[in-house]
Amino acid sequence: MNLFRLLGDMTHLLSIVVLLLKIRTVKSCAGISLKTQELYVIVFLTRYLDLFTKYYSVYNTAMKLVFLGTSIGIVWYMRYHKVVKQTYSKDEDTFKHYFLILLSIILALLIHRAFDVIEVLWTFSLYLEAVAILPQLVLLQKSRNIDTLTGDYVFLLGAYRALYILNWVYRFLMENHKFRWIPWISGLVQTALYADFFYYYIKSWKNREKLKLPA
Amino acid sequence: PPKGSFHDEL
């Protein structure tokens, strides 16, 4: 475990805390894409298949349970909680996210490091995570005003993968880890998709003005 | 895990 990965995991955890804070305190999920949340549940389910078969550390197992539990909890809140589900921007969350799942499955079947169930599903989860934010970004562009917590959530979610890329550079240099195309490219694509958002988020933060994405 | 894999990550 290196500092970049720890910072990355903490940033990821913080993004989920911010989202839960927003949903629980404001009792609203306005501006949050249910589709992105559902994609994240699939990402965690297919990535953490080895949860009960492989033990790396207490930290690793605990964090997997937290990520699985919170992502499923958030989808439950947005789908079934009597108050929260009314605030879901249903007719704006229109991204065809099933295509993202299909594309990721096809790509994982074509490009993977080993053709076994765990590896292919793990690869699938990397490809899917890279594009999982798209429905959320599209929804943000449609939202007239983006509330602070939603902006902070997306920023932290994007920042965590950028930190993971630094972690891979560190592991490559210091732990003479081999270069791994699949996580690297997926992570770079994922972070690149946030570039536009990062620009407007930082600009709004510097100018002390409301976050607004160009339509 | 094999050296090359990142399965020990989240």
Side-chain angles (χ1 to χ4, degrees), chain A residues 119 167-168 171 177 180, chain B residues 3-4 6-10:
Chain A
E119 190 67 24
N167 147 64
W168 291 327
R171 295 189 84 173
H177 233 282
R180 285 282 153 240
Chain B
K3 199 76 185 100
F6 289 127
H7 288 271
D8 60 333
E9 297 183 346
L10 292 172

Side-chain angles (χ1 to χ4, degrees), chain A residues 150-197:
Chain A
T150 304
D152 295 343
Y153 162 67
V154 175
F155 176 78
L156 290 165
L157 197 52
Y160 116 80
R161 210 60 182 172
L163 287 164
Y164 251 73
I165 291 170
L166 296 181
N167 147 64
W168 291 327
V169 172
Y170 177 89
R171 295 189 84 173
F172 178 71
L173 297 176
M174 310 302 277
E175 298 170 9
N176 71 2
H177 233 282
K178 290 192 206 63
F179 180 85
R180 285 282 153 240
W181 286 107
I182 293 175
W184 285 64
I185 304 286
S186 310
L188 284 168
V189 166
Q190 179 168 340
T191 307
L193 289 177
Y194 285 84
D196 178 58
F197 174 84

Side-chain angles (χ1 to χ4, degrees), chain A residues 85-124:
Chain A
K85 74 179 181 181
Q86 319 282 346
T87 63
Y88 167 46
S89 338
K90 186 174 175 55
D91 43 18
E92 285 176 319
D93 194 10
T94 55
F95 198 97
K96 304 224 176 324
H97 64 319
Y98 294 115
F99 276 127
L100 298 178
I101 299 171
L102 187 68
L103 282 177
S104 304
I105 290 174
I106 293 168
L107 199 59
L109 288 171
L110 293 176
I111 307 171
H112 44 260
R113 241 190 91 218
F115 196 69
D116 69 69
V117 174
I118 295 284
E119 190 67 24
V120 171
L121 284 175
W122 181 76
T123 307
F124 161 75

Side-chain angles (χ1 to χ4, degrees), chain A residues 1 16 19 51 78-79 85 134 143 158 169 191 206:
Chain A
M1 168 65 84
I16 293 169
L19 180 56
L51 179 61
M78 294 183 72
R79 273 185 175 277
K85 74 179 181 181
L134 283 171
S143 317
V169 172
T191 307
K206 271 198 309 200

Side-chain angles (χ1 to χ4, degrees), chain A:
Chain A
M1 168 65 84
N2 60 68
L3 182 68
F4 297 114
R5 183 140 64 96
L6 185 63
L7 276 179
D9 291 341
M10 292 305 107
T11 304
H12 192 184
L13 185 63
L14 188 57
S15 75
I16 293 169
V17 166
V18 165
L19 180 56
L20 275 171
L21 200 70
K22 168 194 162 68
I23 293 180
R24 285 183 56 86
T25 46
V26 189
K27 281 280 180 286
S28 159
C29 64
I32 301 296
S33 165
L34 174 59
K35 300 185 174 189
T36 286
Q37 299 309 315
E38 288 169 347
L39 292 180
Y40 259 102
V41 170
I42 298 170
V43 166
F44 292 138
L45 286 175
T46 51
R47 187 172 304 175
Y48 300 157
L49 290 171
D50 59 357
L51 179 61
F52 300 111
T53 54
K54 285 268 187 61
Y55 175 80
Y56 297 101
S57 67
V58 174
Y59 172 83
N60 188 276
T61 305
M63 290 296 277
K64 284 177 178 175
L65 290 169
V66 166
F67 285 160
L68 274 168
T70 50
S71 58
I72 291 168
I74 286 163
V75 168
W76 180 86
Y77 254 111
M78 294 183 72
R79 273 185 175 277
Y80 306 112
H81 187 280
K82 58 190 182 306
V83 176
V84 173
K85 74 179 181 181
Q86 319 282 346
T87 63
Y88 167 46
S89 338
K90 186 174 175 55
D91 43 18
E92 285 176 319
D93 194 10
T94 55
F95 198 97
K96 304 224 176 324
H97 64 319
Y98 294 115
F99 276 127
L100 298 178
I101 299 171
L102 187 68
L103 282 177
S104 304
I105 290 174
I106 293 168
L107 199 59
L109 288 171
L110 293 176
I111 307 171
H112 44 260
R113 241 190 91 218
F115 196 69
D116 69 69
V117 174
I118 295 284
E119 190 67 24
V120 171
L121 284 175
W122 181 76
T123 307
F124 161 75
S125 81
L126 283 175
Y127 295 151
L128 187 62
E129 187 186 4
V131 294
I133 197 62
L134 283 171
Q136 179 61 66
L137 290 177
V138 167
L139 180 57
L140 286 183
Q141 277 180 338
K142 291 182 183 169
S143 317
R144 275 152 310 288
N145 63 328
I146 301 164
D147 67 69
T148 320
L149 284 175
T150 304
D152 295 343
Y153 162 67
V154 175
F155 176 78
L156 290 165
L157 197 52
Y160 116 80
R161 210 60 182 172
L163 287 164
Y164 251 73
I165 291 170
L166 296 181
N167 147 64
W168 291 327
V169 172
Y170 177 89
R171 295 189 84 173
F172 178 71
L173 297 176
M174 310 302 277
E175 298 170 9
N176 71 2
H177 233 282
K178 290 192 206 63
F179 180 85
R180 285 282 153 240
W181 286 107
I182 293 175
W184 285 64
I185 304 286
S186 310
L188 284 168
V189 166
Q190 179 168 340
T191 307
L193 289 177
Y194 285 84
D196 178 58
F197 174 84
F198 282 149
Y199 170 75
Y200 290 104
Y201 180 86
I202 291 163
K203 201 169 79 146
S204 79
W205 179 71
K206 271 198 309 200
N207 306 349
R208 301 245 182 292
E209 65 195 11
K210 202 87 174 121
L211 174 60
K212 184 88 188 77
L213 295 184

